[in-house]
Each structure stands twice: as C-alpha cells, then as structure tokens.
C-alpha cells in the first residue's frame, strides 16, 4: 500500500521504516531542512537502537523515500499518517496543535483524490472531529476521512513496539474505510494475534491520554511512598518489591527515583488536565495535578539531598552528574529530570560536570551553560559528589573502587535506585538516595 508519513521524528521515522519493512511503499515527509538532509542520507537526527539500520535497509530497497514535498505526497499517497509533534504550549499547559493543523492545511488543498488521514500524534479528545471539519472546509472536490490510531511506542524500543505492539487502537467513523484499511496495513502484525481495538475517534484519543495518566500515576505513587519511607526510616525498594508481587499491582513502573520526564508523559498529563477542564470535567483529573507535583518534587529533593551531602550549600562544590537523557537508550533530553537537577545545582553555585553516553549534543543545545565532560572519568575528577540520574548500563556497572580514586569525596547519590548499594558502601562510599 502507498503510505505517507507526515513528520519524521521519533514516532514518524520509526513508523515509516517499520511499515516499509513489512512491504508497504512509504513516503516520509519532513519539513525541517537539517533533519531532512540527514534522513535522506540514512542518518537519524536522534538515537534509537536498531533504527539506523532499518532506515538504511528500507531506503536502499526503495520501499522508503523521504521528501519535503507536500505536492508529491498529495499526488502519490492513498493513506496519510500524521506523526508531527504536539508539544506543550509555551503560554499554558494545553497541547500546541499548530503542527497538526498545519499538516491538514498544507495537505488537503493539494489532494486530487479521496484520502484517508490517520493521526498517530498524541492529541486532546475531539481533535479528529475538529480536523474533519477543517479538512471539509478546505476542499469540496475530494472526500477526506479522518481516523486516529494513537501510538504507544517507547523510545529505546521503537522498532519492537511498532512491529510487535501490545495492542493497536483505531478510532474511526462508522461506515468509513479506515477499519478495513488499517486491517490491511497492519495485517502481518494482526496475524500474530495482536489485540485490535476499534472505537470512535474520541475514545481512541482518550485511550492514549488515559494510558499515560495511569503510567505517570504509578510512578508518582511509588515516589510518594519514597517520601513517606524517608520520613519513617523505611525501605521503599522493599515496599515496591513486596507490593509488586500482587499481580493486580505488578512490578513494572514501580521503581522510585527522580521521576518521569521526556517528550510525552509530562506534557501529556498536563494537556489531559487542560482538555478535561475545557470539557467541564476538570474535577475528574485534579489528582493528576498531585501526580505532577510529586514528580516535580523529586527533582527538588535531589537538589536538597546533594546540598545536604555537601554540608548545606552547593556553593563552590564540584558535582558530577551522570546522565542527561530522560531515560537510558535514548538521546532525548526533553523535560529531562537529570538536566533539570543539573541546572538547579548550577544556579545554586555548584560547578556541574555532566556526562551522558548519547545525549550530549541535545543537552548542550538545551542547557548550553553547563559543563559537558567527555567521559565518566572526566566528569568525576575531583568531584565532591557523584549523582547517577539516568540509569544507563555504563553507570549501573561502574566500578566504585575505580571511580573512588578520581573523586575528592566518596559520596554517591543514586537518583534512579539503580546501583548496587553494598558494592558502593563496601568501596568506602556514602550512598544516598
Ligand atoms: N517520542 C515518542 O516516544 C512518542 C511515543 C508515542 C507518541 N508520541 C507522540 O507522537 C508525536 C510526535 O512525537 P515525536 O517524539 O516523534 O516528535 P518529534 O518532534 O521528534 O517529531 C516531529 C517531526 O515532525 C516534523 N514536522 C513538523 N511539522 C511538520 C509538517 N508540517 N510536515 C512534516 N513534518 C513536520 C518535525 O520537524 C519533526 O521532525 C507527538 O504527538 C508525541 O506525543 C511520541
């Protein structure tokens, strides 16, 4: 089938390459000139394990072609996936839908045949219906059907999550072509008994919002328990382990730490609250405000723990921050807790040296005033305190004896509860969480 993917970021590039790999003809449209130039030559403008190989394989086979031309896309494609960003607005917590709207405004007037547009970006409930009206107003010559197929992929696992998803959700109008078309597009995936849930578009949009709200709540729940444990002198890891054995609770996403970040969870729960407010259902989601607040408190608490470990002030102290990406196996620094903590400590007078195996370039762009070290060793040299804020395996497997020889004081803060406490204390470190 001839699929067009509009927006070739984390979601779009993964979707385009994966769809080409299962036999579709795919045209990826990217409007950012720097990103376009890279993608066309088989380079990803971000890090995602395995995706560079798949991109090159599908480009070489001719199943994937990349362009910036909407006229080419409009003339060529039958099905158009929207994969552009929906960041938080600068002015308020709601989602900025200007990129999604721009896709419709650019594409629809250029269509010369009927088309199915399938949204994958994360959007507030009601967006598909609104875009249908917008598309209808832009063209009286063709019929445009709009469906929503929210994406659940995790950065670091984009290929696996696209080709072997937990489920596929499709929101569409009755008597349209979307369900049958989606069954054909995803046939190889659906043949492996992947659950396929077909709903109206509002429900599909809400599935994504609900999933992210639940995950954020689970993380903030265990972080709230960590706060109580700190006050009570109890062990939050033991609590997470013990309650997680209950299959109704489960162990996943129950690890305490500095909390969630990235380009999805924080902005998505805020957009969800804003959207509920507009619908007159704000009260239903007031708990998400607390989820957000618990999460942001973790970052502040990390800074106070560091300050406390340095005798009450960070002024003039050297801090090694290991980790800049919001999670391991990604170079994404959008709303990264690690960088937020690093930035706060610098503002309190510390000399902060940040090292991350993959996210240095993005971190430099977002926080240009921090010092970026070339290695763990350089970051830790003469440090008064070492903080592990992203659980890259390189950091989890560090030898505390070797690191101990580099630093000025052996104090480590394990912001992700990912270190072997005994190994570090046996090597003479003060271990803090
Ligand atoms: N990143 C994830 O893990 C993930 C997972 C699930 C859902 N999502 C959702 O997917 C959407 C995209 O997220 P992302 O992380 O891929 O964002 P991104 O910023 O990495 O990618 C968006 C891309 O779209 C391009 N673009 C902007 N306007 C365009 C236009 N008019 N035409 C063509 N290209 C255009 C941008 O240059 C950019 O390359 C968001 O709604 C996000 O919430 C992301």
């Amino acid at each position: 089938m001839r699929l067009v993917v509009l927006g070739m970021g984390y979601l779009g590039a993964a979707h385009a390459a994966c769809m080409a790999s299962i036999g579709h003809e795919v045209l990826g449209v990217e409007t950012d000139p720097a990103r376009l130039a890279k993608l066309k030559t088989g380079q990803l403008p971000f890090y995602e394990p395995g995706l560079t190989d798949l991109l090159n394989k599908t480009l070489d086979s001719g199943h994937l072609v990349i362009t910036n031309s909407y006229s080419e896309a409009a003339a060529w494609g039958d099905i158009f996936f929207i994969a552009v960003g929906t960041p938080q607005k600068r002015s308020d917590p709601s989602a900025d839908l200007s990129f999604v709207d721009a896709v419709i405004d650019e594409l629809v007037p250029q269509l010369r045949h009927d088309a199915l547009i399938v949204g994958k970006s994360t959007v507030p409930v009601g967006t598909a219906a609104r875009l249908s009206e917008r598309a209808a107003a832009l063209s009286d010559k063709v019929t445009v059907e709009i469906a929503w197929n929210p994406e659940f992929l995790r950065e670091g696992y984009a290929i696996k999550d696209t080709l072997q998803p937990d489920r596929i959700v499709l929101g569409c109008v009755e008597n349209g072509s979307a369900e049958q078309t989606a069954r054909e597009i995803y046939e190889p995936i659906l043949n492996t008994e992947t659950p396929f849930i077909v709903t109206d578009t509002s429900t599909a949009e809400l599935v994504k919002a609900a999933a992210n709200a639940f995950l954020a709540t689970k993380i903030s729940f265990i972080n709230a328990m960590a706060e109580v444990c700190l006050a009570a002198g109890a062990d939050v890891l033991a609590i997470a382990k013990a309650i997680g054995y209950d299959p109704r609770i489960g162990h996943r996403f129950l690890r305490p730490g500095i909390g969630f970040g990235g380009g999805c969870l924080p902005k998505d729960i805020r957009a969800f609250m804003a959207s509920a407010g507009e619908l007159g259902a704000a009260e239903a989601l007031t708990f998400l405000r607390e989820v957000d607040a618990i999460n942001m408190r973790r970052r502040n608490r990390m800074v106070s723990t560091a300050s406390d470990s340095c005798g009450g002030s960070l002024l003039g102290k050297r801090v090694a921050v290991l980790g800049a990406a919001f999670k391991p196996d990604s170079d994404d620094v959008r709303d990264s807790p690690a960088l937020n903590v690093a930035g706060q400590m610098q503002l309190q007078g510390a000399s902060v040296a940040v090292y991350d195996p993959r996210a240095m370039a993005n971190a430099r762009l977002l926080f240009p005033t921090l010092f970026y070290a070339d290695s763990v060793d350089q970051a830790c040299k003469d440090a008064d305190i070492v903080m592990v804020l992203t659980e890259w395996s390189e950091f989890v497997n560090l030898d505390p004896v070797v690191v101990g020889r580099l630093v000025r004081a052996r104090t480590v803060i394990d912001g992700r509860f990912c270190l072997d406490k005994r190994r570090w204390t046996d090597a003479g470190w003060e271990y803090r969480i």
Side-chain angles (χ1 to χ4, degrees):
M1 299 173 89
R2 290 182 158 199
L3 313 181
V4 173
V5 177
L6 301 145
M8 290 284 284
Y10 286 90
L11 161 57
H15 189 65
C18 287
M19 290 302 104
S21 78
I22 57 171
H24 298 300
E25 300 301 316
V26 183
L27 184 65
V29 181
E30 172 58 54
T31 49
D32 179 279
R35 287 194 152 204
L36 177 72
K38 280 196 150 186
L39 287 162
K40 280 184 128 179
T41 53
Q43 300 167 67
L44 281 179
F46 51 84
Y47 173 68
E48 177 60 41
L51 192 55
T52 303
D53 284 351
L54 194 66
L55 178 72
N56 279 286
K57 214 184 275 177
T58 50
L59 285 172
D60 291 346
S61 70
H63 287 302
L64 173 63
V65 173
I66 297 168
T67 180
N68 61 352
S69 167
Y70 267 76
S71 58
E72 186 188 342
W76 182 85
D78 304 314
I79 297 130
F80 299 84
F81 285 100
I82 302 179
V84 294
T86 50
Q88 184 177 327
K89 275 186 194 157
R90 283 168 194 260
S91 52
D92 66 67
S94 64
D96 177 356
L97 297 176
S98 59
F99 299 102
V100 172
D101 290 354
V103 166
I104 299 294
D105 294 353
E106 186 77 17
L107 176 69
V108 173
Q110 305 196 53
L111 289 171
R112 297 290 170 265
H113 53 270
D114 293 351
L116 172 64
I117 298 180
V118 183
K120 288 197 78 63
S121 304
T122 303
V123 293
V125 57
T127 301
R130 185 178 64 75
L131 294 180
S132 286
E133 286 172 18
R134 197 175 181 107
L138 285 166
S139 177
D140 47 14
K141 295 189 193 72
V142 299
T143 303
V144 177
E145 181 181 343
I146 299 203
W148 222 263
N149 170 214
E151 179 58 60
F152 302 98
L153 72 79
R154 298 160 297 166
E155 287 174 24
Y157 304 89
I159 297 176
K160 180 181 175 295
D161 288 351
T162 305
L163 293 176
Q164 296 151 268
D166 300 324
R167 74 294 208 191
I168 293 176
V169 175
L170 180 76
C172 52
V173 291
E174 274 179 41
N175 307 320
S177 64
E179 182 179 345
Q180 185 50 36
T181 306
R183 284 188 187 281
E184 288 169 33
I185 295 170
Y186 295 131
E187 191 187 354
I189 300 169
L190 295 174
N191 282 345
T192 60
E193 295 186 8
T194 304
F196 184 44
I197 296 144
V198 181
T199 69
D200 57 90
T201 54
S202 294
T203 305
E205 290 158 341
L206 277 173
V207 168
K208 177 67 188 174
N212 276 354
F214 191 88
L215 293 173
T217 303
K218 199 168 177 190
I219 296 170
S220 278
F221 172 81
I222 199 63
N223 280 331
M225 293 306 109
E227 289 184 16
V228 178
C229 284
L230 187 70
D235 179 356
V236 68
L237 282 181
I239 289 177
K241 192 172 172 188
I243 64 174
Y245 281 117
D246 183 334
R248 292 169 303 175
I249 297 174
H251 284 118
R252 296 185 66 192
F253 263 51
L254 209 58
R255 188 201 287 202
I258 52 171
F260 56 82
C264 289
L265 285 192
K267 63 122 174 131
D268 287 349
I269 61 166
R270 290 172 198 151
F272 195 18
M273 282 185 271
S275 149
E278 281 166 24
L279 291 166
E283 208 182 348
L285 296 187
T286 43
F287 74 97
L288 284 181
R289 209 186 279 243
E290 200 48 47
V291 165
D292 202 358
I294 293 167
N295 192 52
M296 298 314 277
R297 248 188 345 253
R298 300 303 290 170
R299 302 176 183 190
N300 301 341
R301 210 191 66 79
M302 252 319 98
V303 178
S304 339
T305 305
S307 171
D308 188 49
S309 302
C310 292
S313 169
L314 286 163
L315 204 63
K317 299 293 179 182
R318 294 175 76 98
V319 184
V321 167
L322 303 184
F326 87 96
K327 63 182 242 179
D329 296 316
S330 170
D331 65 352
D332 197 343
V333 296
R334 289 178 286 186
D335 204 353
S336 162
L339 279 184
N340 180 312
V341 168
Q344 285 195 54
M345 290 190 298
Q346 191 192 40
L347 289 174
Q348 293 190 20
S351 301
V352 183
V354 180
Y355 173 71
D356 187 285
R358 291 277 177 184
M360 301 292 272
N362 286 342
R364 271 196 188 95
L365 285 175
L366 197 66
F367 274 91
T369 56
L370 291 168
F371 171 71
Y372 292 95
D374 294 330
S375 61
V376 169
D377 287 9
Q378 194 190 7
C380 293
K381 182 101 181 66
D382 296 330
D384 293 296
I385 188 161
V386 173
M387 303 176 78
V388 177
L389 300 185
T390 310
E391 65 276 38
W392 285 96
S393 54
E394 180 182 344
F395 304 152
V396 175
N397 298 322
L398 279 174
D399 184 339
V401 175
V402 175
V403 185
R405 292 190 198 115
L406 301 167
V407 296
R408 192 145 65 192
R410 293 187 178 192
T411 303
V412 64
I413 300 184
D414 184 2
R416 294 289 182 181
F417 286 78
C418 63
L419 302 178
D420 182 338
K421 179 179 174 183
R422 178 159 311 158
R423 264 185 90 212
W424 285 77
T425 48
D426 284 354
W429 287 78
E430 184 194 352
Y431 171 93
R432 300 197 59 169
I433 46 175

